C-alpha cells in the first residue's frame, strides 16, 4: 500500500489544495483532494488487467470551482434537497439558501464540497487511509449547531474503497452526508449501456421540483424497477411522469426504513459493464440511494480540456431521503449533542 501527496493547485482565494493518491498491490489508484474531499480519480483494472479511469472529474482547481456537478465531492451538511429551503426543529424555524430553483440542494451556496479539509494519512500492510476533517460553524449556510465532521477514505487490497462518515454537534441539528462520485466503467461518452441492479423494491416519487411526495411506492411494473439487472438506458426514455420531470433517473430508492442493528452494512447496487468487464458493487449503512443518470452533465468541464455530455456518468449517492427534515415519516436526520452520526459506504470494484 502506498500514499503519495502532492499539491494539486490553488483556489481563487489563494488556498492550497493537496492531492493524495492511494494505491494497492493490484494497481488500483484513488486520488482524493483536500478541496471538498473530492474523489478526483479512481483507476482500476479491466478484464484484461489494464488500468483505466472509472470516474468523471477535472484536471484543475479552477475547473472544479466553476463546475456545478459536484464531481466526487463530500456533500453536506445535507445531501439532496430540502423543500423551499426551510425546516423546523424544536419549534425553531430555519431558513437555508435556495440554490436549486425553490429548493436547498447539497448544503447550499458553499457546502462541504467547496471547503478545504484538514488531512491525515497512513498505511498498513493491506490498508491505505486518508482522514479528512472539517468544522462547520453554527449558522453556516443557516444550519444550527457547530458540526465537527470526519470523513475517512480507506483502500484495501480487495479493490474496495470504503468511506466512513462521522459527525458530532453541540446543538440539535440535521445532517445527511454522501459522496457525489460519477462513474463510467469504460470511459465511453455515456453510461446508458451499463447494467444496473438496485437492491430495492421501493422508491420515493417526487413532484416537478424533485421533492418527495411523501409516498414510498413499489417499483414493480414501472421504469424504476431495477430489481433485476438491466441497462440504464433501457427504460430511460419511457413516457413516465417521473422520468420526464427529472429528464431521466434522479430519484431515491429505499434500502430500509428501520435500521437492522445486527447487519448494518447492506448490499445496495451492482453495476456491470461488458465492454471492459468491470463491475462495481455498492454496500452501505444508509437507508436510501439516489440513483442519478447524469441528466444535466452537458457542458460540464472534463479532463483534458473537454466537456462532458449528457449522461456521461451515473451516481449512486447513498444517503438519507430527500427533504427528511420536513418528513417525519422518513428515517430521521436529526443529530443531538452527545450523539454521533456514523454511516459507511463501500465501493467494491471487480471484473465479470
Amino acid at each position: 500500500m502506498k500514499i503519495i501527496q502532492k499539491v494539486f493547485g490553488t483556489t481563487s482565494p489563494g488556498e492550497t489544495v493537496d492531492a493524495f493518491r492511494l494505491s494497492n498491490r493490484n494497481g488500483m489508484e484513488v486520488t482524493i483532494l483536500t478541496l471538498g474531499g473530492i474523489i478526483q480519480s479512481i483507476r482500476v483494472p479491466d478484464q484484461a488487467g489494464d488500468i483505466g479511469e472509472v470516474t468523471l472529474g477535472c484536471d484543475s482547481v479552477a475547473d472544479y470551482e466553476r463546475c456545478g456537478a459536484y464531481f466526487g465531492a463530500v456533500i453536506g451538511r445535507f445531501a439532496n434537497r430540502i423543500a423551499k429551503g426551510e425546516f423546523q426543529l424544536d419549534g425553531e424555524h430555519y431558513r437555508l439558501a435556495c440554490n436549486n430553483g425553490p429548493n436547498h440542494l447539497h448544503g447550499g451556496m458553499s457546502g462541504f464540497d467547496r471547503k478545504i479539509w484538514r488531512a491525515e494519512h497512513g498505511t498498513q500492510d493491506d490498508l491505505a487511509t486518508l482522514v479528512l476533517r472539517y468544522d462547520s460553524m453554527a449558522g453556516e449556510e443557516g444550519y444550527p449547531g457547530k458540526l465537527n465532521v470526519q470523513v475517512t477514505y480507506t483502500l484495501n487490497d480487495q479493490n474496495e474503497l470504503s468511506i466512513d462518515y462521522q459527525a458530532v454537534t453541540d446543538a440539535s441539528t440535521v445532517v445527511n452526508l454522501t459522496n457525489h462520485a460519477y462513474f463510467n466503467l469504460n470511459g465511453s461518452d455515456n453510461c446508458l449501456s451499463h447494467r444496473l441492479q438496485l437492491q430495492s423494491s421501493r422508491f420515493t416519487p417526487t413532484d416537478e421540483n424533485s421533492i418527495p411526495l411523501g409516498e414510498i411506492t413499489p417499483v414493480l411494473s414501472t421504469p424504476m424497477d431495477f430489481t433485476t439487472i438491466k441497462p440504464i438506458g433501457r427504460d430511460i426514455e419511457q413516457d413516465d411522469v417521473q422520468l420526464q420531470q427529472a429528464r431521466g433517473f434522479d430519484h431515491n430508492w429505499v434500502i430500509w426504513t428501520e435500521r437492522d442493528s445486527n447487519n448494518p452494512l447492506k448490499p445496495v447496487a451492482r453495476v456491470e459493464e461488458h465492454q471492459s468487464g468491470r463491475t462495481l458493487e455498492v454496500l452501505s449503512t444508509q437507508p436510501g440511494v439516489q440513483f442519478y443518470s447524469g441528466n444535466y452533465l452537458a457542458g460540464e468541464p472534463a479532463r483534458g480540456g473537454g466537456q462532458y455530455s449528457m449522461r456521461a456518468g451515473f451516481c449512486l449517492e447513498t444517503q438519507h431521503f430527500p427533504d427528511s427534515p420536513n418528513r417525519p415519516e422518513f428515517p430521521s436526520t436529526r443529530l443531538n449533542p452527545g450523539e454521533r452520526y456514523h454511516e459507511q459506504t463501500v465501493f467494491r470494484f471487480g471484473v465479470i
Side-chain angles (χ1 to χ4, degrees):
M1 307 300 291
K2 184 185 298 185
I3 299 179
I4 297 175
Q5 179 182 358
K6 67 176 184 179
V7 174
F8 185 76
T10 306
T11 65
S12 50
E15 302 162 298
T16 298
V17 177
D18 289 326
F20 293 84
R21 189 176 70 205
L22 289 61
S23 58
N24 69 12
R25 66 182 180 186
N26 305 317
M28 179 175 172
E29 297 178 343
V30 180
T31 302
I32 300 163
L33 308 181
T34 52
L35 172 63
I38 289 169
I39 298 175
Q40 192 266 337
S41 171
I42 300 178
R43 295 172 55 82
V44 298
D46 65 9
Q47 201 167 38
D50 297 326
I51 308 296
E53 181 63 56
V54 296
T55 64
L56 309 190
C58 303
D59 289 331
S60 69
V61 172
D63 279 351
Y64 279 111
E65 288 183 325
R66 69 185 181 90
C67 176
Y70 304 90
F71 287 139
V74 174
I75 304 298
R77 282 189 192 193
F78 199 94
N80 218 310
R81 296 167 177 86
I82 296 177
K84 300 179 182 178
E86 58 186 11
F87 65 94
Q88 290 195 13
L89 193 66
D90 294 335
E92 293 290 328
H93 185 258
Y94 295 95
R95 290 204 58 86
L96 314 171
C98 291
N99 59 322
N100 177 243
N103 305 322
H104 177 82
L105 176 68
H106 291 339
M109 302 300 294
S110 182
F112 291 176
D113 60 297
R114 299 286 176 177
K115 308 302 183 183
I116 301 295
W117 294 62
R118 306 186 304 275
E120 297 178 11
H121 64 88
T123 60
Q124 299 177 10
D125 289 342
D126 57 350
L127 296 175
T129 300
L130 177 68
V131 180
L132 299 178
R133 294 184 176 90
Y134 175 69
D135 300 325
S136 177
M137 295 296 104
E140 184 176 282
E141 290 293 326
Y143 290 94
K146 179 184 178 183
L147 192 75
N148 302 112
V149 186
Q150 176 178 299
V151 178
T152 303
Y153 292 97
T154 303
L155 175 65
N156 64 23
D157 279 331
Q158 288 72 53
N159 288 0
E160 295 175 335
L161 176 65
S162 173
I163 311 177
D164 185 273
Y165 306 91
Q166 297 190 50
V168 294
T169 183
D170 65 358
S172 294
T173 190
V174 295
V175 60
N176 183 25
L177 306 180
T178 193
N179 184 280
H180 211 299
Y182 290 78
F183 297 100
N184 185 314
L185 301 184
N186 69 2
S188 60
D189 290 338
N190 66 64
C191 64
L192 298 181
S193 65
H194 288 60
R195 295 168 60 82
L196 170 66
Q197 183 177 22
L198 296 174
Q199 302 296 329
S200 171
S201 60
R202 299 175 295 166
F203 81 111
T204 52
T206 60
D207 64 16
E208 66 276 9
N209 294 314
S210 295
I211 295 297
L213 300 172
E215 306 164 3
I216 295 179
T217 301
V219 300
L220 185 64
S221 301
T222 78
M224 305 295 170
D225 189 353
F226 284 90
T227 54
T228 300
I229 197 165
K230 68 177 183 181
I232 290 173
R234 194 185 80 179
D235 299 324
I236 203 167
E237 301 295 344
Q238 279 199 24
D239 183 14
D240 179 271
V241 65
Q242 290 296 308
L243 293 174
Q244 291 170 347
Q245 288 175 165
R247 298 179 62 184
F249 298 106
D250 189 10
H251 297 80
N252 169 68
W253 273 256
V254 175
I255 306 303
W256 54 262
T257 54
E258 294 186 14
R259 185 186 296 272
D260 179 358
S261 59
N262 295 321
N263 185 24
L265 195 64
K266 295 178 178 293
V268 170
R270 178 178 173 85
V271 183
E272 297 178 355
E273 201 292 303
H274 285 256
Q275 179 179 327
S276 65
R278 293 188 179 99
T279 63
L280 167 63
E281 294 175 84
V282 181
L283 302 93
S284 185
T285 59
Q286 298 266 30
V289 57
Q290 186 85 5
F291 166 48
Y292 174 49
S293 53
N295 311 318
Y296 291 89
L297 281 175
E300 293 288 1
R303 295 188 184 91
Q307 294 182 341
Y308 286 113
S309 59
M310 181 180 182
R311 297 171 183 159
F314 63 91
C315 300
L316 293 166
E317 304 160 66
T318 54
Q319 56 189 253
H320 277 63
F321 304 171
D323 201 32
S324 288
N326 295 311
R327 294 288 182 182
E329 65 271 31
F330 289 172
S332 176
T333 54
R334 179 180 179 128
L335 182 67
N336 298 313
E339 299 174 345
R340 180 174 295 272
Y341 173 94
H342 188 196
E343 302 287 356
Q344 182 184 11
T345 292
V346 175
F347 296 119
R348 176 187 294 155
F349 295 91
V351 293
I352 298 171

